[in-house]
Amino acid sequence: MATTCVKRAFKYRFYPTDAQTAELSRTFGCVRKVYNLALAARTEAWARQERVNYNQTSAMLTAWKKTRELAFLNEVSSVPLQQTLRHLQVAFTNFFGKRAKYPRFKSRKKSRKSAEYTTSGFRFRDGKLTLAKMSEPLDIVWSRPLPEGAKPSTVTVSQDAAGRWFVSMLCEDPGVRPLAAADGAIGIDVGLDHLLTLSTGEKIANPRCERKDRARLAVAQRNLARKQKGSANRAKARRKVAKVYARIADRRRDHLHKLTSKLVRENQTLVIEELTVRNMVKNRKLARAISDAAWSEFRGMLEYKAAWYGRELIAVDRWFPSSKLCSTCGTLQDRMPLHVRTWTCGCGTTHDRDVNAAKNLLAAGLAVTACGAGVRPQRRTPGGQSATKQESPRREP
């Protein structure tokens, strides 16, 4: 079986020394400053109906370094500063291609703290990583080994809101290769009572990671609200809140990784439903539960793992009435209120709402594979009811 090397990021936690912390903090500030200056220059040019490209902003950076006000930019490595200009160029390319909104300025408090180094900005030898302007290697916790003989092409250093330091190394991973063909094909219906319901009838429980830490989060947020703005105690309280959120996100991501890896290993074809989560979270009664379920993150993991391992992922149109359609005889029900979790069709078949939806998704996905045609959207049923996905009626406590 032919293999192709996949670019893969390996992320590790590290513990910087005081000198490294000061150097990285200066670098983060300079990266943010250069990005905002370049964005302001390009915005002014845009107002004059002119376009400024990466090469022009790179020349501007050279000029800025020669001024008295911005001479501090010379104190950090030039590689992350050049990389942030390239990132800005990509942001504008996506904007002009109508794939993203207009780039926004980076905030000191809210923006992600990160800096990217290319091969000229770091040294990786004998399993030790040393960044430019630093005399000592980073103290990295190697939670898993890099691929044998792998050499990072880029290194990204970041600090999250909880104060944790991470380094991400982009390497070619020859170990990622298509798996042997599997016979399985499965339909997947996402939900809230159960995170996933499979066409086989199996239901996977929703871990509700945010709910488990809700009491701890409430205490941390109340303590934060009592602290005076701008004080050191408020900064400490903010980090405690961030640590609770980080704990929730880590548990959720770990669960989704294990779940998606299992599904991709065992099935050749996976069929899911196209959902517009950004519209669904507008429902104030279910927004918290939908966000905690992380359906978008689940789909993203399925997409790249299916591409890595040679699996087929099919997304059925969200207007396809999977819940109302009898998977046995094909009869379409006029109405299917949210509180109805089991129902009996005229043909005598009793359906579990979610299992029936998963079976219908699988049938629609296999039809796409066989005929090469998409599932025709059905925005309205004969009864006049919307055929959009209907989730659990229970309010998240």
Side-chain angles (χ1 to χ4, degrees):
M1 183 179 295
T3 61
T4 57
C5 286
V6 172
K7 287 279 189 178
R8 186 176 181 182
F10 292 82
K11 190 174 183 178
Y12 304 93
R13 191 169 178 182
F14 74 97
Y15 296 87
T17 63
D18 292 341
Q20 290 171 342
T21 299
E23 177 64 29
L24 289 174
S25 297
R26 282 196 300 269
T27 302
F28 293 159
C30 291
V31 165
R32 183 178 62 251
K33 182 67 173 180
V34 169
Y35 186 94
N36 288 342
L37 287 173
L39 177 55
R42 296 186 71 148
T43 301
E44 292 173 2
W46 175 254
R48 299 192 303 268
Q49 297 184 347
E50 299 176 2
R51 287 195 182 184
V52 175
N53 57 27
Y54 162 75
N55 291 331
Q56 291 170 295
T57 55
S58 181
M60 292 178 186
L61 175 59
T62 302
W64 292 333
K65 288 182 176 181
K66 295 179 181 179
T67 63
R68 179 178 301 177
E69 295 80 6
L70 299 175
F72 61 87
L73 296 177
N74 294 289
E75 299 176 3
V76 302
S77 172
S78 63
V79 176
L81 305 185
Q82 292 290 345
Q83 286 301 103
T84 196
L85 295 180
R86 291 189 175 94
H87 294 164
L88 181 60
Q89 177 64 34
V90 172
F92 270 99
T93 300
N94 291 334
F95 167 69
F96 292 130
K98 298 183 179 180
R99 295 184 295 272
K101 295 182 179 180
Y102 193 82
R104 296 185 297 179
F105 290 95
K106 291 184 180 292
S107 167
R108 175 176 297 181
K109 294 182 179 180
K110 297 182 179 180
S111 297
R112 179 172 178 263
K113 298 178 181 179
S114 66
E116 184 178 271
Y117 296 79
T118 56
T119 52
S120 60
F122 65 87
R123 183 175 68 253
F124 184 72
R125 293 178 184 172
D126 301 326
K128 294 184 178 181
L129 178 68
T130 306
L131 301 179
K133 300 284 187 178
M134 294 185 185
S135 58
E136 299 179 2
L138 300 181
D139 182 14
I140 299 175
V141 179
W142 297 100
S143 53
R144 55 177 173 169
L146 288 175
E148 186 176 354
K151 295 182 179 179
S153 57
T154 61
V155 169
T156 302
V157 181
S158 61
Q159 185 185 27
D160 67 6
R164 302 179 300 177
W165 293 87
F166 295 94
V167 58
S168 178
M169 290 176 272
L170 186 64
C171 308
E172 287 188 351
D173 187 2
V176 176
R177 63 189 67 184
L179 299 173
D183 297 330
I186 197 163
I188 305 171
D189 182 69
V190 298
L192 297 180
D193 285 347
H194 295 88
L195 182 62
L196 302 180
T197 301
L198 308 182
S199 55
T200 58
E202 180 184 358
K203 293 187 176 183
I204 298 173
N206 187 351
R208 302 183 187 274
C209 300
E210 187 270 343
R211 178 191 284 182
K212 292 180 180 179
D213 275 343
R214 190 171 295 175
R216 181 182 299 180
L217 180 61
V219 171
Q221 288 175 328
R222 282 197 296 269
N223 289 336
L224 174 62
R226 297 191 190 103
K227 300 299 185 288
Q228 183 179 355
K229 290 186 178 181
S231 65
N233 285 335
R234 185 177 178 85
K236 293 179 183 178
R238 182 199 58 77
R239 282 194 295 272
K240 289 183 179 180
V241 173
K243 286 181 179 179
V244 178
Y245 275 119
R247 172 187 169 91
I248 293 170
D250 289 346
R251 286 209 313 267
R252 181 189 297 127
R253 191 180 304 109
D254 179 69
H255 180 261
L256 291 179
H257 269 301
K258 293 175 180 177
L259 187 57
T260 52
S261 295
K262 180 176 183 294
L263 291 172
V264 169
R265 281 197 307 267
E266 297 177 353
N267 300 279
Q268 182 65 32
T269 303
L270 303 100
V271 186
I272 59 176
E273 188 173 8
E274 186 83 48
L275 296 177
T276 52
V277 178
R278 65 179 179 275
N279 290 336
M280 299 178 70
V281 295
K282 293 178 182 178
N283 183 337
R284 297 179 61 185
K285 296 180 180 179
L286 297 176
R288 194 172 197 172
I290 292 173
S291 298
D292 190 27
W295 294 336
S296 296
E297 188 173 4
F298 167 76
R299 174 174 176 172
M301 290 183 182
L302 271 186
E303 285 180 344
Y304 79 76
K305 290 181 181 180
W308 278 3
Y309 299 114
R311 302 312 197 200
E312 184 179 19
L313 180 65
I314 302 172
V316 176
D317 191 285
R318 67 190 179 98
W319 297 108
F320 178 68
S322 58
S323 297
K324 299 180 181 181
L325 193 66
C326 176
S327 58
T328 301
C329 67
T331 301
L332 184 63
Q333 304 298 311
D334 290 340
R335 297 181 67 254
M336 187 65 62
L338 285 172
H339 67 273
V340 176
R341 309 314 297 174
T342 60
W343 57 279
T344 302
C345 179
C347 67
T349 306
T350 300
H351 294 290
D352 179 286
R353 179 194 185 101
D354 297 329
V355 175
N356 177 66
K359 290 180 178 179
N360 285 326
L361 289 174
L362 175 60
L366 294 179
V368 171
T369 304
C371 304
V375 177
R376 185 176 181 180
Q378 301 181 32
R379 294 181 177 272
R380 295 287 170 183
T381 66
Q385 297 296 319
S386 172
T388 188
K389 181 177 180 66
Q390 297 177 344
E391 286 303 324
S392 169
R394 301 175 186 174
R395 292 186 61 177
E396 180 72 0

